[in-house]
Amino acid sequence: MISRDDLELALPGATIGAVAGALAGGLTLIAGAPAGLAAQSALALSVPLAFFGGLYGLLLGRGVFRPGTFAPTGLYWMVAFPLSRLLQESVAGNGADDGVLTFLLFQAMVSLGFAIGFVFLHERVMPPWLMRRRADNLRAQALFGLYVRHAQVLQTRKGTRR
């Protein structure tokens, strides 16, 4: 069962995913799609990206992912992003004209760029959020400790290079 503590860990990733999907819908509008189709496209991408972004925060809180690592997150988004895009295209698009497999493989390649941006934002949003929630949330307190230890390791490595 998902507790309030879990939901608090999911919030930053879900927010990043939702905003990314909404921005992609805005790009659809700029590209000349009708407003209704652009809104439908934005919603159809925002919902799964918010879900997978929130799931990432839950998995981070449970130790599946670690702060400061990219490879596992990149692999995660190589699955999650194409599935999100497939849902979007099935609801609001026609981008899979070359076949579903080709579409999914292309989206898997694109997903690494999305993963880089997601990790970049998440690593900047999550620690301040954890600082605010750690007094009331034991999972946030434990995860914040991981972020602090990671920062200390990076600082030590930086100091030895000088």
Side-chain angles (χ1 to χ4, degrees), residues 106-135:
F106 178 74
Q107 296 307 316
M109 289 188 300
V110 171
S111 71
L112 291 177
F114 178 82
I116 290 168
F118 180 86
V119 168
F120 178 81
L121 288 173
H122 199 270
E123 293 287 315
R124 275 136 192 86
V125 171
M126 189 62 138
W129 174 249
L130 293 173
M131 282 192 337
R132 292 182 64 193
R133 301 305 316 144
R134 68 184 170 164

PDB file of all heavy atoms in Angstrom, residues 106-135:
ATOM      1  N   PHE A 106      12.591   4.217 -31.942  1.00  0.00           N
ATOM      2  CA  PHE A 106      12.973   5.622 -32.045  1.00  0.00           C
ATOM      3  C   PHE A 106      12.737   6.336 -30.721  1.00  0.00           C
ATOM      4  O   PHE A 106      13.574   7.117 -30.251  1.00  0.00           O
ATOM      5  CB  PHE A 106      12.205   6.313 -33.176  1.00  0.00           C
ATOM      6  CG  PHE A 106      12.528   7.774 -33.280  1.00  0.00           C
ATOM      7  CD1 PHE A 106      13.737   8.189 -33.805  1.00  0.00           C
ATOM      8  CD2 PHE A 106      11.626   8.734 -32.832  1.00  0.00           C
ATOM      9  CE1 PHE A 106      14.051   9.541 -33.890  1.00  0.00           C
ATOM     10  CE2 PHE A 106      11.931  10.079 -32.906  1.00  0.00           C
ATOM     11  CZ  PHE A 106      13.146  10.486 -33.437  1.00  0.00           C
ATOM     12  N   GLN A 107      11.605   6.087 -30.085  1.00  0.00           N
ATOM     13  CA  GLN A 107      11.309   6.723 -28.803  1.00  0.00           C
ATOM     14  C   GLN A 107      12.285   6.281 -27.721  1.00  0.00           C
ATOM     15  O   GLN A 107      12.620   7.063 -26.822  1.00  0.00           O
ATOM     16  CB  GLN A 107       9.862   6.436 -28.377  1.00  0.00           C
ATOM     17  CG  GLN A 107       8.820   7.016 -29.294  1.00  0.00           C
ATOM     18  CD  GLN A 107       8.998   8.499 -29.535  1.00  0.00           C
ATOM     19  OE1 GLN A 107       9.262   9.273 -28.618  1.00  0.00           O
ATOM     20  NE2 GLN A 107       8.837   8.924 -30.782  1.00  0.00           N
ATOM     21  N   ALA A 108      12.765   5.046 -27.789  1.00  0.00           N
ATOM     22  CA  ALA A 108      13.771   4.577 -26.824  1.00  0.00           C
ATOM     23  C   ALA A 108      15.064   5.378 -26.980  1.00  0.00           C
ATOM     24  O   ALA A 108      15.714   5.717 -25.980  1.00  0.00           O
ATOM     25  CB  ALA A 108      14.030   3.085 -27.000  1.00  0.00           C
ATOM     26  N   MET A 109      15.425   5.708 -28.220  1.00  0.00           N
ATOM     27  CA  MET A 109      16.619   6.529 -28.429  1.00  0.00           C
ATOM     28  C   MET A 109      16.402   7.940 -27.899  1.00  0.00           C
ATOM     29  O   MET A 109      17.266   8.502 -27.238  1.00  0.00           O
ATOM     30  CB  MET A 109      16.990   6.576 -29.910  1.00  0.00           C
ATOM     31  CG  MET A 109      17.546   5.280 -30.440  1.00  0.00           C
ATOM     32  SD  MET A 109      18.194   5.395 -32.118  1.00  0.00           S
ATOM     33  CE  MET A 109      16.783   5.908 -33.048  1.00  0.00           C
ATOM     34  N   VAL A 110      15.247   8.506 -28.176  1.00  0.00           N
ATOM     35  CA  VAL A 110      14.926   9.858 -27.720  1.00  0.00           C
ATOM     36  C   VAL A 110      14.846   9.910 -26.192  1.00  0.00           C
ATOM     37  O   VAL A 110      15.165  10.924 -25.570  1.00  0.00           O
ATOM     38  CB  VAL A 110      13.598  10.331 -28.361  1.00  0.00           C
ATOM     39  CG1 VAL A 110      13.110  11.629 -27.759  1.00  0.00           C
ATOM     40  CG2 VAL A 110      13.759  10.468 -29.858  1.00  0.00           C
ATOM     41  N   SER A 111      14.460   8.800 -25.597  1.00  0.00           N
ATOM     42  CA  SER A 111      14.242   8.762 -24.148  1.00  0.00           C
ATOM     43  C   SER A 111      15.498   9.094 -23.350  1.00  0.00           C
ATOM     44  O   SER A 111      15.393   9.615 -22.236  1.00  0.00           O
ATOM     45  CB  SER A 111      13.725   7.394 -23.722  1.00  0.00           C
ATOM     46  OG  SER A 111      14.741   6.415 -23.829  1.00  0.00           O
ATOM     47  N   LEU A 112      16.658   8.812 -23.882  1.00  0.00           N
ATOM     48  CA  LEU A 112      17.884   9.125 -23.140  1.00  0.00           C
ATOM     49  C   LEU A 112      18.056  10.628 -22.961  1.00  0.00           C
ATOM     50  O   LEU A 112      18.515  11.087 -21.916  1.00  0.00           O
ATOM     51  CB  LEU A 112      19.098   8.500 -23.806  1.00  0.00           C
ATOM     52  CG  LEU A 112      19.144   6.979 -23.711  1.00  0.00           C
ATOM     53  CD1 LEU A 112      20.346   6.425 -24.461  1.00  0.00           C
ATOM     54  CD2 LEU A 112      19.143   6.522 -22.273  1.00  0.00           C
ATOM     55  N   GLY A 113      17.676  11.391 -23.960  1.00  0.00           N
ATOM     56  CA  GLY A 113      17.693  12.851 -23.808  1.00  0.00           C
ATOM     57  C   GLY A 113      16.695  13.302 -22.755  1.00  0.00           C
ATOM     58  O   GLY A 113      16.992  14.165 -21.928  1.00  0.00           O
ATOM     59  N   PHE A 114      15.514  12.687 -22.773  1.00  0.00           N
ATOM     60  CA  PHE A 114      14.526  13.004 -21.748  1.00  0.00           C
ATOM     61  C   PHE A 114      15.053  12.613 -20.371  1.00  0.00           C
ATOM     62  O   PHE A 114      14.895  13.362 -19.403  1.00  0.00           O
ATOM     63  CB  PHE A 114      13.197  12.276 -22.026  1.00  0.00           C
ATOM     64  CG  PHE A 114      12.162  12.536 -20.977  1.00  0.00           C
ATOM     65  CD1 PHE A 114      11.401  13.687 -21.021  1.00  0.00           C
ATOM     66  CD2 PHE A 114      11.966  11.649 -19.929  1.00  0.00           C
ATOM     67  CE1 PHE A 114      10.454  13.950 -20.041  1.00  0.00           C
ATOM     68  CE2 PHE A 114      11.028  11.900 -18.947  1.00  0.00           C
ATOM     69  CZ  PHE A 114      10.265  13.062 -19.006  1.00  0.00           C
ATOM     70  N   ALA A 115      15.693  11.462 -20.274  1.00  0.00           N
ATOM     71  CA  ALA A 115      16.222  10.987 -18.989  1.00  0.00           C
ATOM     72  C   ALA A 115      17.272  11.948 -18.437  1.00  0.00           C
ATOM     73  O   ALA A 115      17.297  12.214 -17.233  1.00  0.00           O
ATOM     74  CB  ALA A 115      16.810   9.581 -19.136  1.00  0.00           C
ATOM     75  N   ILE A 116      18.124  12.469 -19.296  1.00  0.00           N
ATOM     76  CA  ILE A 116      19.133  13.431 -18.846  1.00  0.00           C
ATOM     77  C   ILE A 116      18.457  14.664 -18.251  1.00  0.00           C
ATOM     78  O   ILE A 116      18.809  15.126 -17.163  1.00  0.00           O
ATOM     79  CB  ILE A 116      20.078  13.818 -20.007  1.00  0.00           C
ATOM     80  CG1 ILE A 116      20.973  12.644 -20.370  1.00  0.00           C
ATOM     81  CG2 ILE A 116      20.918  15.042 -19.645  1.00  0.00           C
ATOM     82  CD1 ILE A 116      21.736  12.810 -21.675  1.00  0.00           C
ATOM     83  N   GLY A 117      17.478  15.191 -18.950  1.00  0.00           N
ATOM     84  CA  GLY A 117      16.759  16.348 -18.442  1.00  0.00           C
ATOM     85  C   GLY A 117      15.995  16.041 -17.169  1.00  0.00           C
ATOM     86  O   GLY A 117      15.980  16.837 -16.222  1.00  0.00           O
ATOM     87  N   PHE A 118      15.380  14.864 -17.115  1.00  0.00           N
ATOM     88  CA  PHE A 118      14.623  14.483 -15.928  1.00  0.00           C
ATOM     89  C   PHE A 118      15.537  14.375 -14.714  1.00  0.00           C
ATOM     90  O   PHE A 118      15.243  14.918 -13.645  1.00  0.00           O
ATOM     91  CB  PHE A 118      13.898  13.154 -16.160  1.00  0.00           C
ATOM     92  CG  PHE A 118      13.102  12.705 -14.970  1.00  0.00           C
ATOM     93  CD1 PHE A 118      11.809  13.153 -14.783  1.00  0.00           C
ATOM     94  CD2 PHE A 118      13.648  11.848 -14.024  1.00  0.00           C
ATOM     95  CE1 PHE A 118      11.082  12.761 -13.671  1.00  0.00           C
ATOM     96  CE2 PHE A 118      12.935  11.451 -12.913  1.00  0.00           C
ATOM     97  CZ  PHE A 118      11.642  11.910 -12.735  1.00  0.00           C
ATOM     98  N   VAL A 119      16.662  13.691 -14.868  1.00  0.00           N
ATOM     99  CA  VAL A 119      17.599  13.534 -13.745  1.00  0.00           C
ATOM    100  C   VAL A 119      18.140  14.892 -13.323  1.00  0.00           C
ATOM    101  O   VAL A 119      18.244  15.183 -12.126  1.00  0.00           O
ATOM    102  CB  VAL A 119      18.749  12.566 -14.108  1.00  0.00           C
ATOM    103  CG1 VAL A 119      19.864  12.617 -13.086  1.00  0.00           C
ATOM    104  CG2 VAL A 119      18.217  11.150 -14.226  1.00  0.00           C
ATOM    105  N   PHE A 120      18.482  15.727 -14.289  1.00  0.00           N
ATOM    106  CA  PHE A 120      18.999  17.058 -13.974  1.00  0.00           C
ATOM    107  C   PHE A 120      18.000  17.819 -13.105  1.00  0.00           C
ATOM    108  O   PHE A 120      18.363  18.381 -12.069  1.00  0.00           O
ATOM    109  CB  PHE A 120      19.294  17.823 -15.267  1.00  0.00           C
ATOM    110  CG  PHE A 120      19.780  19.217 -15.035  1.00  0.00           C
ATOM    111  CD1 PHE A 120      21.109  19.450 -14.728  1.00  0.00           C
ATOM    112  CD2 PHE A 120      18.920  20.303 -15.120  1.00  0.00           C
ATOM    113  CE1 PHE A 120      21.575  20.745 -14.501  1.00  0.00           C
ATOM    114  CE2 PHE A 120      19.365  21.590 -14.899  1.00  0.00           C
ATOM    115  CZ  PHE A 120      20.696  21.812 -14.594  1.00  0.00           C
ATOM    116  N   LEU A 121      16.749  17.850 -13.534  1.00  0.00           N
ATOM    117  CA  LEU A 121      15.728  18.567 -12.759  1.00  0.00           C
ATOM    118  C   LEU A 121      15.442  17.892 -11.423  1.00  0.00           C
ATOM    119  O   LEU A 121      15.323  18.548 -10.390  1.00  0.00           O
ATOM    120  CB  LEU A 121      14.443  18.687 -13.576  1.00  0.00           C
ATOM    121  CG  LEU A 121      14.492  19.654 -14.732  1.00  0.00           C
ATOM    122  CD1 LEU A 121      13.226  19.556 -15.569  1.00  0.00           C
ATOM    123  CD2 LEU A 121      14.700  21.070 -14.241  1.00  0.00           C
ATOM    124  N   HIS A 122      15.334  16.577 -11.446  1.00  0.00           N
ATOM    125  CA  HIS A 122      14.989  15.854 -10.217  1.00  0.00           C
ATOM    126  C   HIS A 122      16.066  16.027  -9.152  1.00  0.00           C
ATOM    127  O   HIS A 122      15.753  16.189  -7.974  1.00  0.00           O
ATOM    128  CB  HIS A 122      14.774  14.372 -10.533  1.00  0.00           C
ATOM    129  CG  HIS A 122      14.000  13.655  -9.486  1.00  0.00           C
ATOM    130  ND1 HIS A 122      14.604  13.040  -8.416  1.00  0.00           N
ATOM    131  CD2 HIS A 122      12.667  13.468  -9.327  1.00  0.00           C
ATOM    132  CE1 HIS A 122      13.669  12.502  -7.657  1.00  0.00           C
ATOM    133  NE2 HIS A 122      12.487  12.739  -8.187  1.00  0.00           N
ATOM    134  N   GLU A 123      17.327  16.022  -9.555  1.00  0.00           N
ATOM    135  CA  GLU A 123      18.416  16.179  -8.598  1.00  0.00           C
ATOM    136  C   GLU A 123      18.469  17.596  -8.015  1.00  0.00           C
ATOM    137  O   GLU A 123      19.119  17.827  -7.004  1.00  0.00           O
ATOM    138  CB  GLU A 123      19.766  15.850  -9.252  1.00  0.00           C
ATOM    139  CG  GLU A 123      19.926  14.397  -9.638  1.00  0.00           C
ATOM    140  CD  GLU A 123      20.137  13.478  -8.455  1.00  0.00           C
ATOM    141  OE1 GLU A 123      20.937  13.814  -7.569  1.00  0.00           O
ATOM    142  OE2 GLU A 123      19.496  12.408  -8.422  1.00  0.00           O
ATOM    143  N   ARG A 124      17.787  18.533  -8.646  1.00  0.00           N
ATOM    144  CA  ARG A 124      17.739  19.899  -8.115  1.00  0.00           C
ATOM    145  C   ARG A 124      16.455  20.191  -7.341  1.00  0.00           C
ATOM    146  O   ARG A 124      16.445  21.037  -6.468  1.00  0.00           O
ATOM    147  CB  ARG A 124      17.894  20.911  -9.252  1.00  0.00           C
ATOM    148  CG  ARG A 124      19.365  21.132  -9.548  1.00  0.00           C
ATOM    149  CD  ARG A 124      19.681  21.152 -11.016  1.00  0.00           C
ATOM    150  NE  ARG A 124      21.119  21.075 -11.232  1.00  0.00           N
ATOM    151  CZ  ARG A 124      21.799  19.936 -11.299  1.00  0.00           C
ATOM    152  NH1 ARG A 124      21.201  18.780 -11.143  1.00  0.00           N
ATOM    153  NH2 ARG A 124      23.105  19.934 -11.515  1.00  0.00           N
ATOM    154  N   VAL A 125      15.398  19.469  -7.653  1.00  0.00           N
ATOM    155  CA  VAL A 125      14.119  19.687  -6.978  1.00  0.00           C
ATOM    156  C   VAL A 125      13.988  18.810  -5.736  1.00  0.00           C
ATOM    157  O   VAL A 125      13.477  19.260  -4.703  1.00  0.00           O
ATOM    158  CB  VAL A 125      12.950  19.412  -7.961  1.00  0.00           C
ATOM    159  CG1 VAL A 125      11.616  19.416  -7.256  1.00  0.00           C
ATOM    160  CG2 VAL A 125      12.966  20.412  -9.098  1.00  0.00           C
ATOM    161  N   MET A 126      14.453  17.579  -5.815  1.00  0.00           N
ATOM    162  CA  MET A 126      14.220  16.624  -4.736  1.00  0.00           C
ATOM    163  C   MET A 126      14.906  16.990  -3.413  1.00  0.00           C
ATOM    164  O   MET A 126      14.239  16.951  -2.373  1.00  0.00           O
ATOM    165  CB  MET A 126      14.632  15.219  -5.182  1.00  0.00           C
ATOM    166  CG  MET A 126      14.236  14.128  -4.215  1.00  0.00           C
ATOM    167  SD  MET A 126      12.446  14.030  -4.015  1.00  0.00           S
ATOM    168  CE  MET A 126      12.201  12.289  -4.024  1.00  0.00           C
ATOM    169  N   PRO A 127      16.196  17.333  -3.375  1.00  0.00           N
ATOM    170  CA  PRO A 127      16.808  17.627  -2.068  1.00  0.00           C
ATOM    171  C   PRO A 127      16.132  18.760  -1.289  1.00  0.00           C
ATOM    172  O   PRO A 127      15.865  18.586  -0.094  1.00  0.00           O
ATOM    173  CB  PRO A 127      18.266  17.945  -2.417  1.00  0.00           C
ATOM    174  CG  PRO A 127      18.521  17.176  -3.663  1.00  0.00           C
ATOM    175  CD  PRO A 127      17.227  17.263  -4.427  1.00  0.00           C
ATOM    176  N   PRO A 128      15.815  19.896  -1.912  1.00  0.00           N
ATOM    177  CA  PRO A 128      15.106  20.919  -1.129  1.00  0.00           C
ATOM    178  C   PRO A 128      13.733  20.435  -0.639  1.00  0.00           C
ATOM    179  O   PRO A 128      13.304  20.775   0.460  1.00  0.00           O
ATOM    180  CB  PRO A 128      14.953  22.098  -2.097  1.00  0.00           C
ATOM    181  CG  PRO A 128      15.988  21.890  -3.130  1.00  0.00           C
ATOM    182  CD  PRO A 128      16.187  20.412  -3.232  1.00  0.00           C
ATOM    183  N   TRP A 129      13.049  19.635  -1.470  1.00  0.00           N
ATOM    184  CA  TRP A 129      11.765  19.079  -1.060  1.00  0.00           C
ATOM    185  C   TRP A 129      11.945  18.161   0.142  1.00  0.00           C
ATOM    186  O   TRP A 129      11.165  18.203   1.097  1.00  0.00           O
ATOM    187  CB  TRP A 129      11.123  18.344  -2.229  1.00  0.00           C
ATOM    188  CG  TRP A 129       9.857  17.618  -1.877  1.00  0.00           C
ATOM    189  CD1 TRP A 129       9.678  16.272  -1.828  1.00  0.00           C
ATOM    190  CD2 TRP A 129       8.601  18.196  -1.529  1.00  0.00           C
ATOM    191  NE1 TRP A 129       8.393  15.978  -1.469  1.00  0.00           N
ATOM    192  CE2 TRP A 129       7.702  17.143  -1.272  1.00  0.00           C
ATOM    193  CE3 TRP A 129       8.141  19.501  -1.392  1.00  0.00           C
ATOM    194  CZ2 TRP A 129       6.382  17.352  -0.902  1.00  0.00           C
ATOM    195  CZ3 TRP A 129       6.815  19.708  -1.018  1.00  0.00           C
ATOM    196  CH2 TRP A 129       5.963  18.643  -0.782  1.00  0.00           C
ATOM    197  N   LEU A 130      12.983  17.338   0.107  1.00  0.00           N
ATOM    198  CA  LEU A 130      13.246  16.420   1.222  1.00  0.00           C
ATOM    199  C   LEU A 130      13.595  17.185   2.490  1.00  0.00           C
ATOM    200  O   LEU A 130      13.213  16.775   3.595  1.00  0.00           O
ATOM    201  CB  LEU A 130      14.374  15.450   0.862  1.00  0.00           C
ATOM    202  CG  LEU A 130      14.060  14.454  -0.248  1.00  0.00           C
ATOM    203  CD1 LEU A 130      15.313  13.672  -0.616  1.00  0.00           C
ATOM    204  CD2 LEU A 130      12.926  13.528   0.132  1.00  0.00           C
ATOM    205  N   MET A 131      14.323  18.284   2.357  1.00  0.00           N
ATOM    206  CA  MET A 131      14.650  19.101   3.536  1.00  0.00           C
ATOM    207  C   MET A 131      13.383  19.617   4.196  1.00  0.00           C
ATOM    208  O   MET A 131      13.303  19.674   5.422  1.00  0.00           O
ATOM    209  CB  MET A 131      15.561  20.278   3.157  1.00  0.00           C
ATOM    210  CG  MET A 131      16.981  19.861   2.974  1.00  0.00           C
ATOM    211  SD  MET A 131      18.236  21.167   2.859  1.00  0.00           S
ATOM    212  CE  MET A 131      17.433  22.608   2.336  1.00  0.00           C
ATOM    213  N   ARG A 132      12.397  19.966   3.393  1.00  0.00           N
ATOM    214  CA  ARG A 132      11.139  20.477   3.950  1.00  0.00           C
ATOM    215  C   ARG A 132      10.301  19.371   4.579  1.00  0.00           C
ATOM    216  O   ARG A 132       9.594  19.623   5.545  1.00  0.00           O
ATOM    217  CB  ARG A 132      10.317  21.143   2.847  1.00  0.00           C
ATOM    218  CG  ARG A 132      10.953  22.413   2.325  1.00  0.00           C
ATOM    219  CD  ARG A 132      10.100  23.060   1.279  1.00  0.00           C
ATOM    220  NE  ARG A 132       8.834  23.465   1.882  1.00  0.00           N
ATOM    221  CZ  ARG A 132       7.781  23.827   1.186  1.00  0.00           C
ATOM    222  NH1 ARG A 132       7.832  23.835  -0.120  1.00  0.00           N
ATOM    223  NH2 ARG A 132       6.669  24.187   1.794  1.00  0.00           N
ATOM    224  N   ARG A 133      10.367  18.165   4.038  1.00  0.00           N
ATOM    225  CA  ARG A 133       9.482  17.091   4.476  1.00  0.00           C
ATOM    226  C   ARG A 133      10.113  16.124   5.477  1.00  0.00           C
ATOM    227  O   ARG A 133       9.419  15.308   6.058  1.00  0.00           O
ATOM    228  CB  ARG A 133       8.988  16.279   3.262  1.00  0.00           C
ATOM    229  CG  ARG A 133       8.233  17.080   2.236  1.00  0.00           C
ATOM    230  CD  ARG A 133       7.050  17.855   2.794  1.00  0.00           C
ATOM    231  NE  ARG A 133       6.260  17.062   3.702  1.00  0.00           N
ATOM    232  CZ  ARG A 133       5.656  17.539   4.792  1.00  0.00           C
ATOM    233  NH1 ARG A 133       5.740  18.809   5.097  1.00  0.00           N
ATOM    234  NH2 ARG A 133       4.955  16.745   5.579  1.00  0.00           N
ATOM    235  N   ARG A 134      11.407  16.213   5.712  1.00  0.00           N
ATOM    236  CA  ARG A 134      12.101  15.209   6.526  1.00  0.00           C
ATOM    237  C   ARG A 134      11.666  15.179   7.983  1.00  0.00           C
ATOM    238  O   ARG A 134      11.774  14.137   8.629  1.00  0.00           O
ATOM    239  CB  ARG A 134      13.607  15.366   6.418  1.00  0.00           C
ATOM    240  CG  ARG A 134      14.144  16.617   7.042  1.00  0.00           C
ATOM    241  CD  ARG A 134      15.607  16.745   6.816  1.00  0.00           C
ATOM    242  NE  ARG A 134      16.009  18.085   7.224  1.00  0.00           N
ATOM    243  CZ  ARG A 134      17.236  18.433   7.442  1.00  0.00           C
ATOM    244  NH1 ARG A 134      18.198  17.561   7.284  1.00  0.00           N
ATOM    245  NH2 ARG A 134      17.523  19.663   7.793  1.00  0.00           N
ATOM    246  N   ALA A 135      11.174  16.259   8.529  1.00  0.00           N
ATOM    247  CA  ALA A 135      10.747  16.265   9.932  1.00  0.00           C
ATOM    248  C   ALA A 135       9.502  15.408  10.143  1.00  0.00           C
ATOM    249  O   ALA A 135       9.353  14.784  11.192  1.00  0.00           O
ATOM    250  CB  ALA A 135      10.474  17.694  10.392  1.00  0.00           C
TER     251      ALA A 135
END
